[in-house]
Amino acid sequence: MTSYNDLWLIGIAWRLDRLRWAPTALLTGCVRGNGLCMAEFPADVPAWLDQQLTDRDLAAAMCQGCPVADECLELELRSGGADTVNVWGGLSADDRRELHPHWLRRGERAERGVAR
């Protein structure tokens, strides 16, 4: 039986399919140029900074509203794979590790592996 968490991760893997043909260099430039985490914090300290958050909630808070969260997640799954760490694409490292096998099974990734 497929769990709710697995269905959630499979849905994310499907969403990332639109990026599977994007060159890694293009994704890197996109994330570096447009990622919210690449800019300095605004003068106001984010409200979530003082809260006790789980890794999942912290990742969601840090990446909330980022226009390139999917591109960031795709990039990290390609480069970090199952050894991913830190916050990328609005998911915690544990969530990305669980997502990785679902992501690998999508389309031609299963045939050619992760490297590009």
Side-chain angles (χ1 to χ4, degrees):
M1 176 183 252
T2 305
S3 71
Y4 174 79
N5 196 57
D6 282 335
L7 292 174
W8 174 63
L9 294 170
I10 290 167
I12 293 170
W14 276 75
R15 189 178 75 221
L16 294 177
D17 271 357
R18 66 183 174 79
L19 299 170
R20 71 178 176 251
W21 296 109
T24 299
L26 179 68
L27 291 173
T28 301
C30 181
V31 171
R32 285 186 180 160
N34 300 302
L36 291 180
C37 62
M38 297 296 167
E40 292 183 30
F41 275 122
D44 297 330
V45 175
W48 50 262
L49 200 56
D50 294 330
Q51 298 175 4
Q52 293 287 338
L53 299 173
T54 65
D55 288 347
R56 180 181 279 175
D57 291 338
L58 177 62
M62 288 180 69
C63 300
Q64 182 178 4
C66 183
V68 295
D70 283 350
E71 290 81 353
C72 179
L73 182 55
E74 174 74 18
L75 184 62
E76 177 58 11
L77 289 169
R78 288 182 190 183
S79 58
D83 299 322
T84 184
V85 294
N86 298 324
V87 172
W88 295 88
L91 295 181
S92 69
D94 289 340
D95 287 337
R96 285 191 316 278
R97 283 187 209 103
E98 288 182 41
L99 170 61
H100 191 256
H102 296 291
W103 176 82
L104 279 176
R105 285 195 276 292
R106 300 294 308 139
E108 51 288 325
R109 288 187 189 109
E111 298 168 6
R112 65 177 166 73
V114 180
R116 268 200 218 203

